[in-house]
Amino acid sequence: MAGIRIDALPTTVLPSNLHAVPAMADGLSVQLSVQQIIDLAKAQILDGAPEALDTLNELAAALNDDANFAASITASIAAISSAVVPGIGGGFTLSNNVSAPDTDIDIAPGVIPASDGSGYIKLTSSLTKRLSQPWAVGDGEGGLDTGSVSNGTYFLHAIKRSDTGVVDAVFSTSGNAPTMPVNYDKHAYLGGVLREGGSLIAFKQINRYFYRDDPVRDFFDSSVPTSNQTVGLSVPEGRQVGALVVSNCVNGAYNFYLDLYTPGRSNQSPSHANGNYRSGAQSGDVAEYPAEHMVWTDTNAQIGYRASSQGELAINCLGWYDPFGEQP
């Protein structure tokens, strides 16, 4: 009520909202009702605040009734700012354990959003889990969620107990819904690993890329047909990944084109106009054209291929790109 002076109220009368009270504004004497004084004071205090936030109770509710709201929100912002995509910035990078590379995976510290979007899972120190043994809490313990181990794809998930804050990890054949240990209610996908010939393959993770230590020749045909074909690759099965492959085409003609594609995609007849890969020799010579590509697989770890003419084709798998939550 800047600029208004309210004269002293009579001490013998308890005013109601209808009582008039002497007041002065800009040198002029006026009469204000008690209700008008209340309205003036309220307007000064609220200063245009929205109706949903114009009481102390509403303000407290908006702050989650947290007397230490400033400290709480600062801690939340710090957690969010340090959250990383797996493998980026050192967060949750996977690697073969040095002492037991065939069975154990090391997991680097990191912070990652929980799969259901409710908060974050933070691993403060490195963790080693063993694929060949049933899950048990703790570093160096078993990690398999259910069943017995076999060759194939296993996906690693960070897991958390909200009641105690304990963070661990589990292997699962499911890329989205691991079988959770009792009392663990949060999980987040970290990446897939492969078990071949009774052992985990050796690999290196760089950001979202997983490179096999030993590339694999997954396909060879000395006379590929010109119709649409599919080939299985040595990459995780159960989720789409970007297979990192080198294709090698050999043909006696210059215009030999190859289309590598995701099964189910509307494919095309390989040609120069369609921008497909072409063998690189002069007409009439033997053409050999090795090239590295990334091709999205289907969930069966397959890609499609189609050649413009019959020729020799080899496809070697170098590894894969894992988009994590960003499925293509």
Side-chain angles (χ1 to χ4, degrees):
M1 291 180 296
I4 296 178
R5 190 184 81 244
I6 305 298
D7 289 357
L9 293 174
T11 58
T12 58
V13 178
L14 182 62
S16 71
N17 285 2
L18 300 178
H19 274 96
V21 179
M24 180 172 287
D26 299 327
L28 298 176
S29 296
V30 296
Q31 295 285 327
L32 296 178
S33 70
V34 172
Q35 186 61 56
Q36 286 177 310
I37 296 171
I38 293 172
D39 292 341
L40 284 169
K42 182 179 178 182
Q44 289 286 329
I45 293 171
L46 298 183
D47 195 24
E51 185 177 353
L53 294 172
D54 63 1
T55 71
L56 292 177
N57 187 54
E58 289 168 345
L59 287 172
L63 297 176
N64 203 29
D65 292 322
D66 186 353
N68 298 308
F69 178 77
S72 299
I73 198 65
T74 299
S76 296
I77 292 172
I80 293 172
S81 64
S82 61
V84 294
V85 174
I88 294 179
F92 284 109
T93 300
L94 308 180
S95 60
N96 298 92
N97 179 263
V98 174
S99 299
D102 296 340
T103 59
D104 293 12
I105 293 293
D106 292 340
I107 306 167
V111 182
I112 186 173
S115 61
D116 62 1
S118 62
Y120 292 82
I121 299 175
K122 182 176 182 179
L123 182 67
T124 57
S125 58
S126 60
L127 179 68
T128 299
K129 300 304 289 186
R130 178 161 295 172
L131 174 61
S132 57
Q133 294 178 353
W135 182 88
V137 65
D139 180 43
E141 298 292 342
L144 186 59
D145 63 348
T146 186
S148 56
V149 70
S150 61
N151 290 332
T153 301
Y154 287 91
F155 300 103
L156 265 163
H157 302 263
I159 56 176
K160 177 182 178 180
R161 285 186 59 164
S162 295
D163 58 346
T164 63
V166 172
V167 172
D168 210 279
V170 66
F171 292 97
S172 177
T173 55
S174 172
N176 300 309
T179 300
M180 299 287 280
V182 176
N183 295 322
Y184 283 80
D185 58 343
K186 303 292 181 186
H187 64 86
Y189 175 74
L190 301 180
V193 295
L194 299 178
R195 189 175 189 266
E196 300 173 351
S199 300
L200 288 168
I201 68 161
F203 68 94
K204 297 292 187 296
Q205 182 184 355
I206 302 175
N207 295 333
R208 297 185 182 188
Y209 293 88
F210 291 74
Y211 292 96
R212 303 178 63 109
D213 282 9
D214 298 309
V216 178
R217 170 159 289 189
D218 278 324
F219 177 80
F220 176 80
D221 192 335
S222 60
S223 183
V224 294
T226 57
S227 58
N228 295 316
Q229 306 291 322
T230 58
V231 58
L233 300 178
S234 300
V235 299
E237 182 176 355
R239 291 173 64 97
Q240 284 188 272
V241 298
L244 306 175
V245 299
V246 170
S247 63
N248 194 24
C249 312
V250 179
N251 185 270
Y254 177 61
N255 293 321
F256 179 81
Y257 296 93
L258 176 68
D259 183 25
L260 300 177
Y261 60 90
T262 304
R265 190 204 76 186
S266 179
N267 56 75
Q268 56 195 359
S269 177
S271 68
H272 180 269
N274 287 329
N276 300 116
Y277 304 109
R278 185 184 71 176
S279 57
Q282 297 298 318
S283 178
D285 295 334
V286 174
E288 185 169 353
Y289 180 63
E292 183 176 340
H293 334 286
M294 186 178 82
V295 186
W296 289 108
T297 65
D298 60 15
T299 55
N300 295 316
Q302 295 180 326
I303 63 170
Y305 68 90
R306 183 177 178 181
S308 63
S309 59
Q310 286 191 329
E312 182 178 289
L313 174 63
I315 299 178
N316 298 324
C317 181
L318 308 181
W320 62 91
Y321 171 87
D322 194 327
F324 299 99
E326 303 172 9
Q327 290 285 277

